[in-house]
Amino acid sequence: LNLAQVRSLTVFGNLNHVPFHSFNYGIIQVLDLEGWKGLKERHVTEICQMLVLKYLSIRRTEIAKIPSKIEKLEYLETLDIRETYVEELPKSVGQLKRISSILGGNKNTRKGLRLPQEKRNKAMKNPSPQGKTKEPAEKGFLSQEKAKGTMKSLRVLSGIEIVDESAAVAASLHQLTGLRKLAIYKLKISEENDTFKELLSSIEYLGSCGLQTLAINDENSKFINSLYNMSAPPRYLVSLELSGKLKWLPEWITSITTLNKLTISITVLTTETLEILRNLPSLFSLTFAFSLSAAKQDQDTVKGILEDNKLATDGEIVIPAKEFKSLKLLRFFAPFVPKLSFPDKSAMPALEIIEMRFQEFEGLFGIEILENLREVHLKVSDGAEAITKFLVSDLKDNTEKPKVFVDGIVTA
């Protein structure tokens, strides 16, 4: 088989061998090797010799390291290393001038990809005049001399990890002025740390430059709550996701007229929250979520918060009438979903689908009067109590319109 003229290769299934030696390294531009279990690190080293490569996906492979020679791929536009064992990118990735998409980490397991930064030296040759050793600031991967002015083409940076030691990386994000999507899968920073203020500053700045998608998973710090204090809203956002123990909605959210998709923690599910969001003119999808695999103590905390939330409106969350004119998809993914009520047919008038995944459920009322609602999908997690199973079964058996699906079973 003559592969010398091949410019694009996609691998399916359990292929044992790919004859890289048969390719013309000077013309191949696309390698989609997603899921190929036969891929080894020596193959990735060979790939770094394919000098005009534009697209490289090694997603869901067993690769654990990206070689520094990746800097040779000066035409590379997309690097997809999601769901691999790669934990950190080499510093040389900062020299890729045409890179537009870097996709890493694992959203399901909240595993993040670390961006490189230079470590501090333990000792300096030139001490300060006072005789004390002076520690240099750490440098982010965009602060290196060779990398300055590069990565201006980067539009998508997804699946990264930010921790206390990432101050230089957080500051370097300022330089990615062309960024349109930023997704942080793992965030663990303390409020008094420099990383906290550097990241907040970078997000505020990128929001003024044209950032359209922002996703932050913050299960262990207070960062997402600090977004409330941003002096200027990210005015161009189309999609926003804030996961974790969110205490309140950012004040600026109601001013984003372009917002199409919103995913927020179920900890802010209140009738008042829905009153605030109902005037967003472009909102198509609204999701309230909290990790179903969270620790039992976190699940109990969230349940307590939701119990308090519904007390303000007589023990239920009430969907307000009118507005939500563009909303077609409403979703709840959480260990506990409180009683939800649609008291008026003008509540969410365009709504077509409701999706819910939960372990505990208190009921969904008034859906029969929603004229455009077609389907309700319910999935009950393992360990649900009898009362939850009864409420789900009752809703399924006694609702003719819309159709109610429970784990693949649909009402007559």
Side-chain angles (χ1 to χ4, degrees):
L1 184 64
N2 185 2
L3 302 176
Q5 298 303 314
V6 170
R7 287 169 169 76
S8 177
L9 172 69
T10 301
V11 172
F12 296 93
N14 298 318
L15 192 64
N16 292 324
H17 177 63
V18 172
F20 281 115
H21 64 276
S22 299
F23 293 108
N24 182 341
Y25 285 5
I27 68 170
I28 194 162
Q29 297 180 10
V30 174
L31 279 181
D32 184 355
L33 308 178
E34 179 177 341
W36 180 33
K37 300 305 180 185
L39 188 68
K40 307 296 181 184
E41 290 187 9
R42 60 181 175 83
H43 294 136
V44 181
T45 301
E46 286 185 59
I47 290 169
C48 289
Q49 300 175 46
M50 300 177 182
L51 301 182
V52 296
L53 196 67
K54 292 183 178 181
Y55 179 95
L56 174 60
S57 173
I58 56 173
R59 184 180 183 181
R60 293 194 299 110
T61 64
E62 297 178 353
I63 295 301
K65 184 178 180 181
I66 300 297
S68 59
K69 290 182 179 180
I70 196 171
E71 66 181 344
K72 294 182 177 181
L73 303 181
E74 59 179 287
Y75 293 95
L76 191 65
E77 297 174 3
T78 298
L79 176 62
D80 188 349
I81 52 175
R82 288 173 289 178
E83 299 169 67
T84 64
Y85 295 101
V86 178
E87 296 181 349
E88 184 172 356
L89 288 174
K91 286 183 286 187
S92 58
V93 77
Q95 299 175 39
L96 297 173
K97 296 179 181 180
R98 292 176 173 83
I99 193 77
S100 63
S101 297
I102 297 177
L103 310 168
N106 187 324
K107 191 170 186 177
N108 294 326
T109 61
R110 300 301 186 184
K111 175 187 174 184
L113 175 70
R114 290 194 301 272
L115 299 178
Q117 64 183 23
E118 295 178 6
K119 306 297 183 184
R120 289 189 177 97
N121 295 323
K122 292 184 178 180
M124 293 290 291
K125 291 183 179 180
N126 300 316
S128 65
Q130 290 77 20
K132 296 180 179 179
T133 300
K134 188 176 181 181
E135 265 190 356
E138 289 182 345
K139 295 181 179 181
F141 73 115
L142 293 177
S143 302
Q144 306 165 66
E145 200 61 40
K146 287 184 179 180
K148 287 182 178 179
T150 62
M151 301 193 81
K152 294 299 183 183
S153 298
L154 193 64
R155 297 292 179 266
V156 177
L157 181 58
S158 181
I160 65 170
E161 170 185 322
I162 301 289
V163 295
D164 277 340
E165 294 76 23
S166 306
V169 167
S172 292
L173 295 177
H174 269 89
Q175 299 183 41
L176 303 179
T177 53
L179 207 62
R180 295 296 175 263
K181 177 178 180 178
L182 175 63
I184 303 172
Y185 285 178
K186 185 176 180 181
L187 181 63
K188 190 174 182 181
I189 52 179
S190 51
E191 199 169 1
E192 62 277 4
N193 193 280
D194 287 344
T195 306
F196 196 100
K197 61 182 180 182
E198 291 287 4
L199 182 59
L200 185 61
S201 174
S202 289
I203 289 176
E204 187 169 352
Y205 180 67
L206 292 174
S208 69
C209 295
L211 191 68
Q212 295 178 355
T213 298
L214 176 63
I216 302 176
N217 176 55
D218 180 10
E219 296 181 355
N220 300 298
S221 64
K222 301 176 181 179
F223 184 79
I224 53 174
N225 291 305
S226 73
L227 295 174
Y228 184 90
N229 299 318
M230 287 202 308
S231 58
R235 64 186 72 180
Y236 306 106
L237 278 188
V238 174
S239 176
L240 175 64
E241 179 177 341
L242 300 176
S243 304
K245 295 174 185 175
L246 190 65
K247 292 183 178 179
W248 47 71
L249 285 177
E251 192 175 39
W252 40 262
I253 202 168
T254 56
S255 65
I256 308 177
T257 58
T258 55
L259 197 62
N260 179 267
K261 181 181 179 181
L262 177 62
T263 300
I264 49 179
S265 173
I266 202 164
T267 53
V268 291
L269 175 58
T270 64
T271 300
E272 182 183 4
T273 293
L274 293 166
E275 291 277 0
I276 293 170
L277 296 176
R278 69 177 183 172
N279 292 314
L280 290 173
S282 303
L283 192 62
F284 175 89
S285 169
L286 175 60
T287 303
F288 292 91
F290 195 85
S291 175
L292 288 136
S293 60
K296 183 67 167 59
Q297 60 186 24
D298 288 333
Q299 293 190 14
D300 290 342
T301 299
V302 169
K303 184 176 180 180
I305 291 170
L306 289 170
E307 291 285 1
D308 292 339
N309 288 353
K310 67 181 185 178
L311 290 178
T313 45
D314 298 324
E316 63 182 0
I317 304 299
V318 180
I319 311 297
K322 301 181 181 179
E323 306 305 332
F324 282 113
K325 292 181 178 179
S326 300
L327 192 71
K328 294 191 176 184
L329 176 61
L330 178 63
R331 307 191 299 177
F332 301 88
F333 302 150
F336 173 70
V337 178
K339 180 180 177 181
L340 299 167
S341 176
F342 292 81
D344 192 292
K345 68 177 182 179
S346 66
M348 300 185 176
L351 189 64
E352 295 182 1
I353 297 175
I354 295 176
E355 294 182 4
M356 308 179 82
R357 290 203 299 265
F358 49 80
Q359 186 169 329
E360 294 185 52
F361 172 67
E362 292 188 338
L364 189 58
F365 300 92
I367 56 175
E368 301 91 344
I369 65 174
L370 301 180
E371 295 179 354
N372 289 303
L373 186 62
R374 297 185 287 107
E375 298 176 4
V376 175
H377 295 260
L378 306 177
K379 183 170 183 178
V380 186
S381 300
D382 294 337
E385 296 183 356
I387 183 62
T388 294
K389 293 178 180 178
F390 170 79
L391 289 170
V392 168
S393 179
D394 182 66
L395 182 64
K396 179 177 77 70
D397 294 338
N398 295 291
T399 306
E400 293 185 4
K401 182 186 176 301
K403 292 181 179 179
V404 178
F405 297 82
V406 180
D407 287 337
I409 302 172
V410 63
T411 57

